[in-house]
């Protein structure tokens, strides 16, 4: 998949101001549009493939608009009863004309934003609507709307190609194939550490990071990109970290779901972050191979920390879920609350320690965080970002 849009071959009647919608591109999601009146449209999202649920992620193209007119869009089949759209979140807009003329990319947009329960309950599901009004900046522009800043599989591949071609970064960042997904897409694993001086390096502890198990949580990919930009940089701290740790990084656990525009599931219609106890090598290859990679690393060196990066649709801030035994060990540095507390001290404007939780719920026993903890990694976390 190259992330290209279909060819725009549209036969227009004169003076037809109906908007033209498209979502058949990488990570796109929109199923149906009904024109209610001249400037009002009702939109239905596609559920995750092979499921009847998980409508949250949207990403679609609009063209044939009139500038300055008050349009209203209403998405009618959300399934979450709680939403950050009730608490100030706004849809994202990208205008090709603004990008070309003014170098303006994605920006939050929309007025009169409401998120509410509607009457369209079907098959036992209760549906919720998101509605907003806005004005397009340019006539006959090509615009995009999205739930969160898109980050596609192609974006990741371009990023990794740039690393592999960089004469400095490629010396301490090795990119390998962890496995192939169900649809045959490569799941990458990165090993980041400074080349050891002869005879040294075996005592380096490992840090394991994974992201994007849920395709609609694109913010997890942006956090991962921020981490990689930093750890591959030439600051003294980044060099110190590479001298002292071996970082194993799986930047996109669910490329298939990302490509087809799912919100939560893989092509089996399953939430991969509940499958870490499964032996389904064929059904859930990225999860099976990640767990095996972690076991292999644990056989070679101590694993200091494991963290799986997510996005959260209901809560603000950045926070962590950890794992705590009822009787916690006495040594303070082994305590799972220490690392999140340090994070909250170093960036109090973003990271909220009060939003962190450390209880292991039964419903979470198949998650990466809990399974890695039970395998013996004491500092095992899910990082959540609003």
């Amino acid at each position: 998949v190259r992330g290209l849009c279909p060819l725009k071959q549209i036969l227009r009647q004169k003076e037809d101001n109906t908007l033209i919608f498209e979502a058949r591109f990488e990570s796109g999601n929109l199923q149906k549009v009904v024109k209610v009146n001249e400037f009002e449209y009702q939109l239905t999202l596609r559920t995750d493939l092979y499921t009847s649920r998980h409508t949250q992620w949207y990403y679609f193209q609009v063209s044939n608009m009139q500038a300055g007119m008050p349009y209203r869009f209403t998405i009618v089949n959300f399934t979450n009863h709680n939403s950050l759209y009730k608490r100030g979140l706004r849809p994202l807009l990208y205008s090709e004309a603004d990008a070309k003329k003014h170098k303006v990319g994605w920006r939050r947009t929309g007025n009169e934003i409401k998120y509410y329960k509607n009457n369209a309950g079907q098959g036992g599901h209760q549906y919720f609507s998101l509605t907003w009004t806005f004005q397009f900046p340019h006539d006959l522009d090509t615009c995009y709307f999205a739930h969160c800043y898109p980050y596609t599989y192609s974006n990741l591949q371009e990023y990794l190609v740039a690393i592999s071609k960089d004469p400095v970064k490629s010396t301490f960042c090795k990119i390998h194939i962890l496995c192939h997904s169900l649809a045959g897409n490569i799941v990458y694993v990165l090993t980041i550490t400074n080349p050891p001086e002869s005879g040294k390096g075996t005592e380096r502890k490992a840090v394991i990071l994974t992201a994007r198990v849920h395709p609609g949580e694109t913010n997890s990919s942006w956090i991962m990109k921020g981490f990689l930009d930093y750890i591959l940089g030439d600051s003294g701290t980044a060099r110190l970290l590479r001298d002292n740790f071996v970082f194993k990084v799986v930047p996109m656990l669910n490329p298939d779901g990302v490509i087809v525009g799912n919100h939560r599931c893989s092509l089996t219609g399953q939430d991969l972050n509940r499958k870490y106890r499964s032996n389904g090598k064929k059904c859930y290859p990225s999860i099976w191979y990640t767990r095996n990679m972690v076991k292999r690393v644990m056989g070679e060196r101590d694993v200091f920390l494991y963290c799986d990066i997510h996005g959260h649709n209901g809560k603000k801030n950045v926070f962590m879920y950890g794992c705590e035994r009822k009787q916690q060990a006495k040594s303070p540095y082994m305590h799972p609350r220490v690392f999140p507390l340090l994070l909250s001290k170093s960036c109090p404007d973003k990271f909220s320690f009060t939003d962190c939780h450390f209880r292991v719920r039964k419903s979470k026993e198949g998650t990466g965080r809990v399974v890695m903890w039970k395998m013996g990694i004491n500092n095992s976390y899910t990082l959540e970002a609003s």
Side-chain angles (χ1 to χ4, degrees):
V1 176
R2 286 281 167 266
L4 299 175
C5 294
L7 294 170
K8 297 172 191 168
Q9 295 178 323
I10 293 152
L11 300 170
R12 285 202 196 97
Q13 298 160 343
K14 274 186 181 170
E15 301 307 313
D16 184 0
N17 296 323
T18 301
L19 293 179
I20 294 159
F21 291 83
E22 180 56 82
R24 289 170 295 181
F25 50 82
E26 188 180 8
S27 294
N29 185 327
L30 184 65
Q31 181 170 290
K32 183 175 82 170
V33 182
V34 176
K35 185 177 180 180
V36 179
N37 58 46
E38 194 178 1
F39 297 111
E40 186 172 351
Y41 293 81
Q42 183 179 298
L43 288 67
T44 303
L45 303 181
R46 180 182 53 69
T47 59
D48 279 11
L49 289 186
Y50 315 115
T51 78
S52 59
R53 302 182 303 147
H54 309 300
T55 45
Q56 183 76 36
W57 171 252
Y58 57 88
Y59 180 22
F60 57 88
Q61 182 197 84
V62 188
S63 53
N64 201 41
M65 68 283 289
Q66 299 172 60
M69 303 309 289
Y71 287 89
R72 178 179 287 282
F73 283 180
T74 305
I75 298 173
V76 296
N77 66 328
F78 282 109
T79 48
N80 284 1
H81 62 90
N82 196 12
S83 172
L84 286 169
Y85 287 112
K86 288 180 175 178
R87 302 173 64 192
L89 183 63
R90 301 162 80 200
L92 279 161
L93 169 73
Y94 182 98
S95 153
E96 283 189 2
D98 273 351
K100 210 170 179 178
K101 286 181 192 166
H102 310 297
K103 300 282 187 283
V104 173
W106 288 97
R107 60 184 189 268
R108 295 281 173 194
T109 189
N111 300 302
E112 301 171 41
I113 296 168
K114 300 238 178 344
Y115 188 92
Y116 56 91
K117 189 156 84 168
N118 63 37
N119 300 322
Q122 204 179 17
H125 292 308
Q126 173 62 60
Y127 287 120
F128 297 82
S129 292
L130 168 68
T131 186
W132 72 96
T133 62
F134 62 97
Q135 296 176 347
F136 287 106
H138 304 281
D139 271 331
L140 304 178
D141 190 4
T142 299
C143 290
Y144 297 82
F145 283 93
H147 172 60
C148 191
Y149 299 90
Y151 191 100
T152 63
Y153 184 58
S154 295
N155 292 148
L156 173 68
Q157 287 178 306
E158 284 162 17
Y159 186 80
L160 296 181
V161 165
I163 292 171
S164 65
K165 286 182 175 173
D166 187 297
V168 179
K169 290 176 184 173
S170 57
T171 60
F172 52 75
C173 177
K174 303 298 177 195
I175 301 166
H176 295 288
I177 296 172
L178 178 71
C179 63
H180 287 83
S181 70
L182 218 54
N185 294 298
I186 294 171
V187 180
Y188 296 95
V189 59
L190 283 54
T191 304
I192 303 165
T193 192
N194 280 342
E197 292 165 31
S198 58
K200 290 185 177 176
T202 48
E203 72 285 354
R204 290 179 186 178
K205 293 187 178 184
V207 172
I208 295 161
L209 298 175
T210 59
R212 207 64 186 280
V213 73
H214 295 143
E217 297 170 12
T218 58
N219 38 356
S220 77
S221 280
W222 289 107
I223 291 170
M224 178 59 89
K225 180 189 180 302
F227 165 75
L228 289 172
D229 287 348
Y230 183 82
I231 203 69
L232 300 174
D234 57 0
S235 70
T237 322
R239 284 202 299 273
L240 188 67
L241 285 165
R242 295 196 303 266
D243 280 339
N244 287 286
F245 292 97
V246 176
F247 292 90
K248 299 292 272 188
V249 178
V250 184
M252 193 174 280
L253 281 163
N254 188 355
D256 298 352
V258 169
I259 289 165
V260 300
N262 277 2
H263 175 59
R264 198 165 179 86
C265 296
S266 69
L267 289 191
T268 56
Q270 298 291 322
D271 180 346
L272 292 181
N273 197 34
R274 297 293 181 275
K275 299 296 174 189
Y276 278 88
R277 290 190 298 179
S278 164
N279 286 320
K281 184 177 175 181
K282 278 190 175 161
C283 293
Y284 321 118
S286 64
I287 300 305
W288 193 90
Y289 279 96
T290 297
R291 191 183 64 200
N292 262 31
M293 178 266 289
V294 173
K295 278 183 186 166
R296 197 170 61 250
V297 171
M298 288 175 81
E300 294 165 3
R301 59 185 78 245
D302 279 350
V303 176
F304 174 68
L305 181 135
Y306 162 89
C307 185
D308 187 27
I309 306 170
H310 288 248
H312 205 285
N313 284 304
K315 287 169 79 170
K316 292 186 176 184
N317 302 315
V318 182
F319 52 94
M320 277 180 148
Y321 296 134
C323 303
E324 196 170 65
R325 288 185 176 80
K326 287 196 175 84
Q327 295 297 312
Q328 196 59 44
K330 289 281 183 282
S331 49
Y333 68 91
M334 291 293 285
H335 203 291
R337 291 176 187 243
V338 171
F339 183 69
L341 186 67
L342 290 172
L343 271 180
S344 72
K345 299 285 186 199
S346 63
C347 45
D349 56 327
K350 292 182 181 66
F351 191 93
S352 165
F353 187 71
T354 51
D355 284 309
C356 296
H357 292 287
F358 299 90
R359 208 173 88 215
V360 178
R361 290 203 188 129
K362 202 161 180 54
S363 63
K364 307 289 186 184
E365 298 219 325
T367 62
R369 158 178 66 105
V370 176
V371 170
M372 301 305 172
W373 175 63
K374 287 186 171 173
M375 277 164 54
I377 302 172
N378 198 59
N379 291 314
S380 184
Y381 302 102
T382 303
L383 178 78
E384 294 277 2
S386 160

